[in-house]
PDB file of all heavy atoms in Angstrom:
ATOM      1  N   LEU A   1       0.810  -1.209   0.000  1.00  0.00           N
ATOM      2  CA  LEU A   1       0.000   0.000   0.000  1.00  0.00           C
ATOM      3  C   LEU A   1       0.850   1.268   0.000  1.00  0.00           C
ATOM      4  O   LEU A   1       0.391   2.332  -0.412  1.00  0.00           O
ATOM      5  CB  LEU A   1      -0.967  -0.032   1.185  1.00  0.00           C
ATOM      6  CG  LEU A   1      -1.960  -1.207   1.098  1.00  0.00           C
ATOM      7  CD1 LEU A   1      -2.792  -1.318   2.355  1.00  0.00           C
ATOM      8  CD2 LEU A   1      -2.863  -1.070  -0.122  1.00  0.00           C
ATOM      9  N   LEU A   2       2.109   1.157   0.438  1.00  0.00           N
ATOM     10  CA  LEU A   2       3.042   2.266   0.274  1.00  0.00           C
ATOM     11  C   LEU A   2       3.319   2.483  -1.216  1.00  0.00           C
ATOM     12  O   LEU A   2       3.379   3.630  -1.678  1.00  0.00           O
ATOM     13  CB  LEU A   2       4.347   1.979   1.018  1.00  0.00           C
ATOM     14  CG  LEU A   2       5.447   3.038   0.863  1.00  0.00           C
ATOM     15  CD1 LEU A   2       4.987   4.385   1.423  1.00  0.00           C
ATOM     16  CD2 LEU A   2       6.726   2.579   1.576  1.00  0.00           C
ATOM     17  N   CYS A   3       3.452   1.382  -1.956  1.00  0.00           N
ATOM     18  CA  CYS A   3       3.630   1.496  -3.412  1.00  0.00           C
ATOM     19  C   CYS A   3       2.426   2.174  -4.048  1.00  0.00           C
ATOM     20  O   CYS A   3       2.569   2.954  -4.999  1.00  0.00           O
ATOM     21  CB  CYS A   3       3.840   0.110  -4.026  1.00  0.00           C
ATOM     22  SG  CYS A   3       5.442  -0.624  -3.671  1.00  0.00           S
ATOM     23  N   PHE A   4       1.248   1.882  -3.530  1.00  0.00           N
ATOM     24  CA  PHE A   4       0.028   2.517  -4.026  1.00  0.00           C
ATOM     25  C   PHE A   4       0.095   4.029  -3.820  1.00  0.00           C
ATOM     26  O   PHE A   4      -0.202   4.811  -4.721  1.00  0.00           O
ATOM     27  CB  PHE A   4      -1.173   1.925  -3.297  1.00  0.00           C
ATOM     28  CG  PHE A   4      -2.506   2.393  -3.810  1.00  0.00           C
ATOM     29  CD1 PHE A   4      -3.088   1.780  -4.906  1.00  0.00           C
ATOM     30  CD2 PHE A   4      -3.190   3.425  -3.192  1.00  0.00           C
ATOM     31  CE1 PHE A   4      -4.321   2.200  -5.388  1.00  0.00           C
ATOM     32  CE2 PHE A   4      -4.420   3.847  -3.662  1.00  0.00           C
ATOM     33  CZ  PHE A   4      -4.991   3.233  -4.761  1.00  0.00           C
ATOM     34  N   MET A   5       0.503   4.454  -2.615  1.00  0.00           N
ATOM     35  CA  MET A   5       0.612   5.876  -2.319  1.00  0.00           C
ATOM     36  C   MET A   5       1.659   6.548  -3.203  1.00  0.00           C
ATOM     37  O   MET A   5       1.418   7.617  -3.780  1.00  0.00           O
ATOM     38  CB  MET A   5       0.958   6.085  -0.840  1.00  0.00           C
ATOM     39  CG  MET A   5       1.103   7.548  -0.430  1.00  0.00           C
ATOM     40  SD  MET A   5       1.578   7.757   1.299  1.00  0.00           S
ATOM     41  CE  MET A   5       3.258   7.130   1.270  1.00  0.00           C
ATOM     42  N   LEU A   6       2.841   5.919  -3.337  1.00  0.00           N
ATOM     43  CA  LEU A   6       3.892   6.497  -4.170  1.00  0.00           C
ATOM     44  C   LEU A   6       3.458   6.571  -5.633  1.00  0.00           C
ATOM     45  O   LEU A   6       3.783   7.520  -6.346  1.00  0.00           O
ATOM     46  CB  LEU A   6       5.170   5.664  -4.044  1.00  0.00           C
ATOM     47  CG  LEU A   6       5.834   5.660  -2.658  1.00  0.00           C
ATOM     48  CD1 LEU A   6       7.019   4.712  -2.637  1.00  0.00           C
ATOM     49  CD2 LEU A   6       6.257   7.070  -2.260  1.00  0.00           C
ATOM     50  N   GLY A   7       2.691   5.571  -6.069  1.00  0.00           N
ATOM     51  CA  GLY A   7       2.184   5.583  -7.437  1.00  0.00           C
ATOM     52  C   GLY A   7       1.265   6.755  -7.692  1.00  0.00           C
ATOM     53  O   GLY A   7       1.270   7.341  -8.781  1.00  0.00           O
ATOM     54  N   ARG A   8       0.449   7.128  -6.691  1.00  0.00           N
ATOM     55  CA  ARG A   8      -0.443   8.274  -6.844  1.00  0.00           C
ATOM     56  C   ARG A   8       0.352   9.562  -7.036  1.00  0.00           C
ATOM     57  O   ARG A   8       0.047  10.380  -7.899  1.00  0.00           O
ATOM     58  CB  ARG A   8      -1.342   8.393  -5.609  1.00  0.00           C
ATOM     59  CG  ARG A   8      -2.540   7.455  -5.647  1.00  0.00           C
ATOM     60  CD  ARG A   8      -3.741   8.128  -6.302  1.00  0.00           C
ATOM     61  NE  ARG A   8      -4.767   7.148  -6.634  1.00  0.00           N
ATOM     62  CZ  ARG A   8      -5.695   6.727  -5.790  1.00  0.00           C
ATOM     63  NH1 ARG A   8      -5.707   7.176  -4.555  1.00  0.00           N
ATOM     64  NH2 ARG A   8      -6.599   5.862  -6.182  1.00  0.00           N
ATOM     65  N   TYR A   9       1.371   9.764  -6.203  1.00  0.00           N
ATOM     66  CA  TYR A   9       2.185  10.977  -6.328  1.00  0.00           C
ATOM     67  C   TYR A   9       2.931  11.001  -7.663  1.00  0.00           C
ATOM     68  O   TYR A   9       2.988  12.036  -8.336  1.00  0.00           O
ATOM     69  CB  TYR A   9       3.181  11.068  -5.167  1.00  0.00           C
ATOM     70  CG  TYR A   9       2.553  11.459  -3.858  1.00  0.00           C
ATOM     71  CD1 TYR A   9       2.588  10.607  -2.761  1.00  0.00           C
ATOM     72  CD2 TYR A   9       1.925  12.696  -3.696  1.00  0.00           C
ATOM     73  CE1 TYR A   9       2.012  10.963  -1.552  1.00  0.00           C
ATOM     74  CE2 TYR A   9       1.349  13.064  -2.499  1.00  0.00           C
ATOM     75  CZ  TYR A   9       1.393  12.193  -1.424  1.00  0.00           C
ATOM     76  OH  TYR A   9       0.828  12.550  -0.229  1.00  0.00           O
ATOM     77  N   ALA A  10       3.507   9.849  -8.034  1.00  0.00           N
ATOM     78  CA  ALA A  10       4.234   9.786  -9.306  1.00  0.00           C
ATOM     79  C   ALA A  10       3.292  10.037 -10.476  1.00  0.00           C
ATOM     80  O   ALA A  10       3.629  10.749 -11.424  1.00  0.00           O
ATOM     81  CB  ALA A  10       4.909   8.421  -9.448  1.00  0.00           C
ATOM     82  N   GLY A  11       2.087   9.464 -10.393  1.00  0.00           N
ATOM     83  CA  GLY A  11       1.118   9.657 -11.464  1.00  0.00           C
ATOM     84  C   GLY A  11       0.690  11.103 -11.607  1.00  0.00           C
ATOM     85  O   GLY A  11       0.517  11.616 -12.721  1.00  0.00           O
ATOM     86  N   THR A  12       0.524  11.785 -10.465  1.00  0.00           N
ATOM     87  CA  THR A  12       0.155  13.208 -10.489  1.00  0.00           C
ATOM     88  C   THR A  12       1.222  14.030 -11.204  1.00  0.00           C
ATOM     89  O   THR A  12       0.914  14.932 -11.989  1.00  0.00           O
ATOM     90  CB  THR A  12      -0.042  13.734  -9.055  1.00  0.00           C
ATOM     91  OG1 THR A  12      -1.045  12.943  -8.401  1.00  0.00           O
ATOM     92  CG2 THR A  12      -0.484  15.186  -9.071  1.00  0.00           C
ATOM     93  N   LEU A  13       2.485  13.694 -10.945  1.00  0.00           N
ATOM     94  CA  LEU A  13       3.577  14.409 -11.609  1.00  0.00           C
ATOM     95  C   LEU A  13       3.642  14.075 -13.095  1.00  0.00           C
ATOM     96  O   LEU A  13       3.835  14.956 -13.938  1.00  0.00           O
ATOM     97  CB  LEU A  13       4.912  14.062 -10.932  1.00  0.00           C
ATOM     98  CG  LEU A  13       5.086  14.558  -9.488  1.00  0.00           C
ATOM     99  CD1 LEU A  13       6.383  14.013  -8.896  1.00  0.00           C
ATOM    100  CD2 LEU A  13       5.089  16.082  -9.443  1.00  0.00           C
ATOM    101  N   LEU A  14       3.476  12.807 -13.424  1.00  0.00           N
ATOM    102  CA  LEU A  14       3.563  12.392 -14.825  1.00  0.00           C
ATOM    103  C   LEU A  14       2.465  12.997 -15.679  1.00  0.00           C
ATOM    104  O   LEU A  14       2.650  13.244 -16.872  1.00  0.00           O
ATOM    105  CB  LEU A  14       3.510  10.861 -14.919  1.00  0.00           C
ATOM    106  CG  LEU A  14       4.767  10.107 -14.474  1.00  0.00           C
ATOM    107  CD1 LEU A  14       4.514   8.612 -14.443  1.00  0.00           C
ATOM    108  CD2 LEU A  14       5.946  10.430 -15.402  1.00  0.00           C
ATOM    109  N   MET A  15       1.298  13.256 -15.046  1.00  0.00           N
ATOM    110  CA  MET A  15       0.185  13.818 -15.809  1.00  0.00           C
ATOM    111  C   MET A  15       0.429  15.254 -16.254  1.00  0.00           C
ATOM    112  O   MET A  15      -0.329  15.795 -17.052  1.00  0.00           O
ATOM    113  CB  MET A  15      -1.103  13.727 -14.997  1.00  0.00           C
ATOM    114  CG  MET A  15      -1.695  12.350 -14.993  1.00  0.00           C
ATOM    115  SD  MET A  15      -3.243  12.270 -14.071  1.00  0.00           S
ATOM    116  CE  MET A  15      -3.483  10.496 -14.016  1.00  0.00           C
ATOM    117  N   ARG A  16       1.479  15.859 -15.740  1.00  0.00           N
ATOM    118  CA  ARG A  16       1.860  17.179 -16.240  1.00  0.00           C
ATOM    119  C   ARG A  16       2.447  17.082 -17.647  1.00  0.00           C
ATOM    120  O   ARG A  16       2.439  18.053 -18.394  1.00  0.00           O
ATOM    121  CB  ARG A  16       2.878  17.826 -15.295  1.00  0.00           C
ATOM    122  CG  ARG A  16       2.329  18.137 -13.907  1.00  0.00           C
ATOM    123  CD  ARG A  16       3.391  18.771 -13.034  1.00  0.00           C
ATOM    124  NE  ARG A  16       2.872  19.109 -11.711  1.00  0.00           N
ATOM    125  CZ  ARG A  16       3.589  19.661 -10.747  1.00  0.00           C
ATOM    126  NH1 ARG A  16       4.877  19.950 -10.959  1.00  0.00           N
ATOM    127  NH2 ARG A  16       3.041  19.924  -9.579  1.00  0.00           N
ATOM    128  N   LYS A  17       2.980  15.906 -17.978  1.00  0.00           N
ATOM    129  CA  LYS A  17       3.629  15.706 -19.282  1.00  0.00           C
ATOM    130  C   LYS A  17       2.878  14.715 -20.168  1.00  0.00           C
ATOM    131  O   LYS A  17       3.002  14.762 -21.394  1.00  0.00           O
ATOM    132  CB  LYS A  17       5.065  15.194 -19.070  1.00  0.00           C
ATOM    133  CG  LYS A  17       5.946  16.108 -18.232  1.00  0.00           C
ATOM    134  CD  LYS A  17       6.239  17.418 -18.959  1.00  0.00           C
ATOM    135  CE  LYS A  17       7.201  18.283 -18.141  1.00  0.00           C
ATOM    136  NZ  LYS A  17       7.481  19.576 -18.826  1.00  0.00           N
ATOM    137  N   ILE A  18       2.136  13.797 -19.539  1.00  0.00           N
ATOM    138  CA  ILE A  18       1.464  12.729 -20.287  1.00  0.00           C
ATOM    139  C   ILE A  18      -0.040  12.850 -20.089  1.00  0.00           C
ATOM    140  O   ILE A  18      -0.514  13.036 -18.966  1.00  0.00           O
ATOM    141  CB  ILE A  18       1.948  11.342 -19.815  1.00  0.00           C
ATOM    142  CG1 ILE A  18       3.467  11.225 -19.937  1.00  0.00           C
ATOM    143  CG2 ILE A  18       1.264  10.225 -20.613  1.00  0.00           C
ATOM    144  CD1 ILE A  18       4.035   9.942 -19.349  1.00  0.00           C
ATOM    145  N   ALA A  19      -0.799  12.733 -21.162  1.00  0.00           N
ATOM    146  CA  ALA A  19      -2.252  12.816 -21.072  1.00  0.00           C
ATOM    147  C   ALA A  19      -2.793  11.703 -20.169  1.00  0.00           C
ATOM    148  O   ALA A  19      -2.319  10.560 -20.240  1.00  0.00           O
ATOM    149  CB  ALA A  19      -2.869  12.687 -22.462  1.00  0.00           C
ATOM    150  N   PRO A  20      -3.763  12.022 -19.291  1.00  0.00           N
ATOM    151  CA  PRO A  20      -4.303  11.011 -18.371  1.00  0.00           C
ATOM    152  C   PRO A  20      -4.763   9.735 -19.072  1.00  0.00           C
ATOM    153  O   PRO A  20      -4.534   8.630 -18.582  1.00  0.00           O
ATOM    154  CB  PRO A  20      -5.472  11.739 -17.696  1.00  0.00           C
ATOM    155  CG  PRO A  20      -5.081  13.178 -17.735  1.00  0.00           C
ATOM    156  CD  PRO A  20      -4.354  13.350 -19.040  1.00  0.00           C
ATOM    157  N   ARG A  21      -5.416   9.888 -20.230  1.00  0.00           N
ATOM    158  CA  ARG A  21      -5.911   8.714 -20.958  1.00  0.00           C
ATOM    159  C   ARG A  21      -4.755   7.807 -21.381  1.00  0.00           C
ATOM    160  O   ARG A  21      -4.835   6.575 -21.257  1.00  0.00           O
ATOM    161  CB  ARG A  21      -6.712   9.169 -22.179  1.00  0.00           C
ATOM    162  CG  ARG A  21      -7.166   8.028 -23.087  1.00  0.00           C
ATOM    163  CD  ARG A  21      -8.015   8.569 -24.228  1.00  0.00           C
ATOM    164  NE  ARG A  21      -8.353   7.524 -25.183  1.00  0.00           N
ATOM    165  CZ  ARG A  21      -7.660   7.256 -26.271  1.00  0.00           C
ATOM    166  NH1 ARG A  21      -6.553   7.956 -26.540  1.00  0.00           N
ATOM    167  NH2 ARG A  21      -8.030   6.292 -27.091  1.00  0.00           N
ATOM    168  N   LEU A  22      -3.676   8.379 -21.882  1.00  0.00           N
ATOM    169  CA  LEU A  22      -2.527   7.593 -22.321  1.00  0.00           C
ATOM    170  C   LEU A  22      -1.857   6.914 -21.134  1.00  0.00           C
ATOM    171  O   LEU A  22      -1.460   5.738 -21.207  1.00  0.00           O
ATOM    172  CB  LEU A  22      -1.525   8.491 -23.052  1.00  0.00           C
ATOM    173  CG  LEU A  22      -0.224   7.817 -23.523  1.00  0.00           C
ATOM    174  CD1 LEU A  22      -0.532   6.654 -24.464  1.00  0.00           C
ATOM    175  CD2 LEU A  22       0.688   8.832 -24.199  1.00  0.00           C
ATOM    176  N   LEU A  23      -1.733   7.645 -20.025  1.00  0.00           N
ATOM    177  CA  LEU A  23      -1.110   7.069 -18.840  1.00  0.00           C
ATOM    178  C   LEU A  23      -1.955   5.915 -18.302  1.00  0.00           C
ATOM    179  O   LEU A  23      -1.408   4.884 -17.869  1.00  0.00           O
ATOM    180  CB  LEU A  23      -0.947   8.148 -17.766  1.00  0.00           C
ATOM    181  CG  LEU A  23       0.044   7.829 -16.641  1.00  0.00           C
ATOM    182  CD1 LEU A  23       1.458   7.659 -17.196  1.00  0.00           C
ATOM    183  CD2 LEU A  23       0.032   8.935 -15.581  1.00  0.00           C
ATOM    184  N   LEU A  24      -3.279   6.063 -18.330  1.00  0.00           N
ATOM    185  CA  LEU A  24      -4.167   4.990 -17.899  1.00  0.00           C
ATOM    186  C   LEU A  24      -3.975   3.750 -18.768  1.00  0.00           C
ATOM    187  O   LEU A  24      -3.967   2.617 -18.268  1.00  0.00           O
ATOM    188  CB  LEU A  24      -5.624   5.463 -17.960  1.00  0.00           C
ATOM    189  CG  LEU A  24      -6.694   4.450 -17.548  1.00  0.00           C
ATOM    190  CD1 LEU A  24      -6.544   4.072 -16.081  1.00  0.00           C
ATOM    191  CD2 LEU A  24      -8.092   5.017 -17.814  1.00  0.00           C
ATOM    192  N   MET A  25      -3.793   3.947 -20.057  1.00  0.00           N
ATOM    193  CA  MET A  25      -3.597   2.826 -20.974  1.00  0.00           C
ATOM    194  C   MET A  25      -2.270   2.113 -20.685  1.00  0.00           C
ATOM    195  O   MET A  25      -2.214   0.874 -20.629  1.00  0.00           O
ATOM    196  CB  MET A  25      -3.632   3.338 -22.421  1.00  0.00           C
ATOM    197  CG  MET A  25      -3.621   2.246 -23.465  1.00  0.00           C
ATOM    198  SD  MET A  25      -4.193   2.825 -25.088  1.00  0.00           S
ATOM    199  CE  MET A  25      -3.096   4.219 -25.372  1.00  0.00           C
ATOM    200  N   ILE A  26      -1.214   2.871 -20.447  1.00  0.00           N
ATOM    201  CA  ILE A  26       0.102   2.283 -20.162  1.00  0.00           C
ATOM    202  C   ILE A  26       0.065   1.510 -18.846  1.00  0.00           C
ATOM    203  O   ILE A  26       0.541   0.370 -18.745  1.00  0.00           O
ATOM    204  CB  ILE A  26       1.185   3.377 -20.122  1.00  0.00           C
ATOM    205  CG1 ILE A  26       1.363   4.006 -21.510  1.00  0.00           C
ATOM    206  CG2 ILE A  26       2.511   2.801 -19.628  1.00  0.00           C
ATOM    207  CD1 ILE A  26       2.224   5.259 -21.501  1.00  0.00           C
ATOM    208  N   TYR A  27      -0.522   2.129 -17.831  1.00  0.00           N
ATOM    209  CA  TYR A  27      -0.534   1.523 -16.494  1.00  0.00           C
ATOM    210  C   TYR A  27      -1.397   0.265 -16.445  1.00  0.00           C
ATOM    211  O   TYR A  27      -1.020  -0.733 -15.809  1.00  0.00           O
ATOM    212  CB  TYR A  27      -1.027   2.537 -15.474  1.00  0.00           C
ATOM    213  CG  TYR A  27       0.055   3.453 -14.932  1.00  0.00           C
ATOM    214  CD1 TYR A  27       1.204   3.719 -15.667  1.00  0.00           C
ATOM    215  CD2 TYR A  27      -0.079   4.062 -13.683  1.00  0.00           C
ATOM    216  CE1 TYR A  27       2.188   4.556 -15.174  1.00  0.00           C
ATOM    217  CE2 TYR A  27       0.897   4.892 -13.177  1.00  0.00           C
ATOM    218  CZ  TYR A  27       2.037   5.141 -13.925  1.00  0.00           C
ATOM    219  OH  TYR A  27       3.017   5.969 -13.441  1.00  0.00           O
ATOM    220  N   SER A  28      -2.558   0.290 -17.092  1.00  0.00           N
ATOM    221  CA  SER A  28      -3.415  -0.895 -17.070  1.00  0.00           C
ATOM    222  C   SER A  28      -2.777  -2.043 -17.842  1.00  0.00           C
ATOM    223  O   SER A  28      -2.877  -3.213 -17.448  1.00  0.00           O
ATOM    224  CB  SER A  28      -4.808  -0.570 -17.623  1.00  0.00           C
ATOM    225  OG  SER A  28      -4.720   0.008 -18.917  1.00  0.00           O
ATOM    226  N   GLY A  29      -2.082  -1.728 -18.944  1.00  0.00           N
ATOM    227  CA  GLY A  29      -1.352  -2.750 -19.684  1.00  0.00           C
ATOM    228  C   GLY A  29      -0.256  -3.383 -18.840  1.00  0.00           C
ATOM    229  O   GLY A  29      -0.050  -4.606 -18.867  1.00  0.00           O
ATOM    230  N   ALA A  30       0.449  -2.562 -18.060  1.00  0.00           N
ATOM    231  CA  ALA A  30       1.499  -3.073 -17.175  1.00  0.00           C
ATOM    232  C   ALA A  30       0.906  -4.017 -16.132  1.00  0.00           C
ATOM    233  O   ALA A  30       1.494  -5.065 -15.816  1.00  0.00           O
ATOM    234  CB  ALA A  30       2.214  -1.908 -16.494  1.00  0.00           C
ATOM    235  N   CYS A  31      -0.275  -3.681 -15.592  1.00  0.00           N
ATOM    236  CA  CYS A  31      -0.916  -4.532 -14.585  1.00  0.00           C
ATOM    237  C   CYS A  31      -1.289  -5.894 -15.167  1.00  0.00           C
ATOM    238  O   CYS A  31      -1.133  -6.928 -14.497  1.00  0.00           O
ATOM    239  CB  CYS A  31      -2.164  -3.842 -14.034  1.00  0.00           C
ATOM    240  SG  CYS A  31      -1.810  -2.447 -12.952  1.00  0.00           S
TER     241      CYS A  31
END
């Protein structure tokens, strides 16, 4: 669950450069 929290912060930062839809596609594929 610490990884979950860190993922939220990292995702918030990444969304400044990557569109949310694209990031969702990459992350769900990784899962």
